[in-house]
Amino acid sequence: MRWSGQELSADEPSALPGLARLNNLVRSVRTPDFAGITFHEVLAKSALNRIPGGGGPMPFGWTINPYRGCSHACVYCFARPTHTYLDLDSGKDFDNEIIVKVNVAEVLRKELSKPSWGHHPVALGTNTDPYQRAEGRYALMPGIIDALADSGTPFSILTKGSLLRRDLDRLAEANRRVPVDLAMSIAVYDDELQQSVEPGTPTTKARLATVTAVREHGLDCSVFLMPIIPYLTDTRAHLDEALKQAKEAGATSVLYSALHLKPGVKEWFYLWLGREHPELLPRYRQMYGRGTYAPQEYRKWLAARIKPLIRSHGLERGQEDPLTGGVRSSALGMMRDDEGERQTVGSAVRAGGATEAPDAASLVSASLTGLGVQPTLF
């Protein structure tokens, strides 16, 4: 888990000025196994991040980010600007300067044990990927999974990492105790394009095999077909093939959206586009010249194209959590019975008068109801 012979001084230029100012920086580490990448090990002060909401069934969301920066190096990644908070750039530094919260599982367990914790659904993978390559060495996720399950906290994971397969036994066990929702992000089904636009990720084939492995463990698995890249992955043939492969892999639902380009992401994406598809630069400047999102006309056109394909492949259109950006937790729909009435919260009474411990749904129900939250969509 540590590489003592590869430690860098925080005063060296390679540690970078923004990181050198951090009072929780333990050390910066390089290893030959990760050429060109520096890991900056920090002691996290908190693990849970609260995301304020704007109404809806949940007034806020919660996330955990064991890493900052991501060696998947997706040129379109919306999280790139977060690196600038540490005087790191949103381009190459985001790919190669990875912040590792080495104590995140321990801090999380303490936070979840507080009486004030409401057992709200927690999302992982909504900023940077918890199963990026570094997880193979630091192994932070097993401790996070155990802490969430032990506390009765439902959670979701969105990842491009086939390393998820390492933890499937643990996730299946956790799912017997709390709702666990899993999703694989698989946006590009052209091998050459995929390796160009997502150079640090597992192949599409490896990710589809991970979907199958998830299903073999008795868990549902959504596929995030996002972003759909205008003029590159939005053809009917590409979308049809993508949905066909997702269905064959066992995907239980599909979510899609068009590419959006924030400031700090747009510039990096345009550098890639200028190298690989310079003929498309004028079209993109026209499409994204006024803002972050593809024009409404394009999004309507895309919906009209893909919705019939989703239906024809027998796939359900999944739901994204509007606050976290991850897959919507199934815990949010556990509050009503078949007649639409609220479920009873707390211990169930067995025949003969004995009580039994509340199940995962009751635990979630109790915590959300206690806060006056209605976690249903209808």
Side-chain angles (χ1 to χ4, degrees):
M1 183 169 170
R2 304 288 186 269
W3 305 295
S4 57
Q6 301 293 332
E7 184 173 354
L8 303 174
S9 167
D11 296 326
E12 294 183 36
S14 56
L16 301 174
L19 289 164
R21 290 198 302 268
L22 292 176
N23 59 14
N24 62 339
L25 176 64
V26 176
R27 61 180 176 175
S28 298
V29 179
R30 289 177 181 162
T31 171
D33 293 340
F34 294 84
I37 295 178
T38 303
F39 297 102
H40 304 283
E41 299 177 355
V42 302
L43 295 177
K45 299 174 183 177
S46 64
L48 291 163
N49 308 302
R50 178 174 171 170
I51 302 175
M58 288 290 288
F60 46 79
W62 294 88
T63 65
I64 300 170
N65 297 300
Y67 303 95
R68 289 184 64 169
C70 187
S71 59
H72 282 163
C74 303
V75 296
Y76 53 74
C77 182
F78 69 90
R80 288 183 173 276
T82 62
H83 243 43
T84 62
Y85 302 148
L86 295 174
D87 291 349
L88 301 169
D89 70 56
S90 59
K92 187 176 180 181
D93 287 348
F94 182 83
D95 303 338
N96 296 331
E97 306 286 342
I98 310 300
I99 315 302
V100 184
K101 301 175 184 178
V102 291
N103 65 332
V104 65
E106 294 84 353
V107 172
L108 175 63
R109 190 170 285 277
K110 291 178 181 178
E111 291 177 330
L112 296 174
S113 67
K114 294 179 180 179
S116 59
W117 172 239
H119 301 84
H120 311 284
V122 172
L124 293 108
T126 61
N127 190 2
T128 57
D129 201 314
Y131 283 104
Q132 60 180 284
R133 286 182 60 215
E135 173 62 16
R137 298 299 296 265
Y138 283 97
L140 303 179
M141 284 299 291
I144 291 171
I145 292 167
D146 289 349
L148 290 165
D150 290 347
S151 71
T153 299
F155 62 95
S156 63
I157 299 173
L158 170 62
T159 182
K160 289 184 172 81
S162 55
L163 183 59
L164 175 71
R165 298 177 72 165
R166 180 199 66 191
D167 292 340
L168 285 179
D169 287 341
R170 180 177 254 104
L171 287 164
E173 173 58 31
N175 190 54
R176 286 190 273 272
R177 304 163 66 189
V178 298
V180 175
D181 297 277
L182 303 179
M184 289 295 298
S185 176
I186 318 175
V188 184
Y189 293 73
D190 174 289
D191 290 344
E192 183 177 354
L193 177 61
Q194 186 266 321
Q195 287 299 300
S196 177
V197 77
E198 304 171 342
T201 61
T203 64
T204 297
K205 182 179 179 180
R207 281 182 264 172
L208 288 166
T210 303
V211 173
T212 302
V214 170
R215 300 290 287 127
E216 289 172 346
H217 278 74
L219 298 164
D220 287 351
C221 189
S222 300
V223 166
F224 273 49
L225 186 59
M226 56 176 73
I228 294 173
I229 308 173
Y231 309 112
L232 290 173
T233 65
D234 61 356
T235 65
R236 187 180 300 274
H238 186 275
L239 295 173
D240 188 50
E241 182 63 22
L243 293 166
K244 174 178 176 288
Q245 291 190 36
K247 179 67 174 181
E248 290 175 348
T252 47
S253 64
V254 168
L255 299 88
Y256 73 90
S257 70
L259 175 72
H260 63 272
L261 296 171
K262 292 181 179 180
V265 181
K266 185 181 297 184
E267 296 82 358
W268 190 248
F269 182 84
Y270 280 4
L271 285 174
W272 172 83
L273 195 66
R275 290 194 310 270
E276 301 297 327
H277 297 279
E279 74 283 0
L280 294 179
L281 271 173
R283 294 185 182 185
Y284 269 80
R285 290 196 171 108
Q286 182 178 13
M287 285 185 71
Y288 294 94
R290 296 182 180 179
T292 294
Y293 297 94
Q296 186 178 20
E297 294 79 5
Y298 176 84
R299 285 180 276 143
K300 288 182 177 179
W301 172 86
L302 179 61
R305 168 162 286 190
I306 196 172
K307 284 180 180 179
L309 293 174
I310 290 174
R311 289 194 297 269
S312 70
H313 287 284
L315 284 164
E316 175 188 1
R317 185 181 176 188
Q319 291 184 310
E320 183 180 6
D321 188 310
L323 297 180
T324 66
V327 60
R328 177 172 278 276
S329 174
S330 59
L332 297 178
M334 290 191 160
M335 292 294 294
R336 295 188 184 275
D337 60 22
D338 293 338
E339 287 72 44
E341 299 297 325
R342 285 186 182 274
Q343 294 177 348
T344 301
V345 177
S347 298
V349 179
R350 291 180 185 150
T355 61
E356 60 183 350
D359 60 12
S362 296
L363 287 171
V364 174
S365 175
S367 60
L368 295 178
T369 304
L371 290 170
V373 174
Q374 169 56 278
T376 56
L377 302 177
F378 51 90

